[in-house]
Amino acid sequence: MKTMTEESLQRKLARLESALDTERARLRKACDKIPWGAGMRRTKCTPSFRRGNELIEKIKVVKLQLSQMRTVNTLAGQ
């Protein structure tokens, strides 16, 4: 496994959050094109939320890694 520094994890977190913002903007744009009531008549007109969910999970993992790294660093500094 590749060793990650705190700085690289912070850069990765920033990249993932930026990608999530872009994905949310894409979903808003896709949802704006769906006419009112069309979702009730046709189930295929809803956009996929898979990519956004994957990004949210990746962000959670990176935040957990950052918190673990900070905990180890504070314990080592004592």
Side-chain angles (χ1 to χ4, degrees), residues 27-40 42 44-47:
L27 282 174
R28 272 193 302 276
K29 187 176 178 181
C31 289
D32 286 345
K33 292 181 180 180
I34 299 172
W36 184 84
M40 291 179 239
R42 297 180 297 273
K44 291 289 184 182
C45 65
T46 56

Side-chain angles (χ1 to χ4, degrees), residues 3-35:
T3 357
M4 302 285 279
T5 64
E6 189 172 348
E7 295 169 3
S8 64
L9 284 174
Q10 288 174 346
R11 284 193 305 267
K12 184 176 182 177
L13 181 62
R15 254 191 339 267
L16 288 171
E17 288 175 343
S18 172
L20 183 60
D21 289 341
T22 304
E23 180 64 19
R24 285 183 176 159
R26 185 195 67 79
L27 282 174
R28 272 193 302 276
K29 187 176 178 181
C31 289
D32 286 345
K33 292 181 180 180
I34 299 172

Side-chain angles (χ1 to χ4, degrees), residues 1-10 62-76:
M1 185 172 138
K2 187 168 80 170
T3 357
M4 302 285 279
T5 64
E6 189 172 348
E7 295 169 3
S8 64
L9 284 174
Q10 288 174 346
V62 171
K63 285 183 178 181
L64 179 65
Q65 289 174 341
L66 266 172
S67 68
Q68 289 174 347
M69 185 172 286
R70 288 179 181 150
T71 304
V72 169
N73 288 342
T74 56
L75 292 176

Side-chain angles (χ1 to χ4, degrees), residues 44-58:
K44 291 289 184 182
C45 65
T46 56
S48 172
F49 296 96
R50 180 191 55 83
R51 174 88 173 121
N53 293 339
E54 288 176 354
L55 286 169
I56 290 170
E57 289 300 317
K58 287 180 182 180

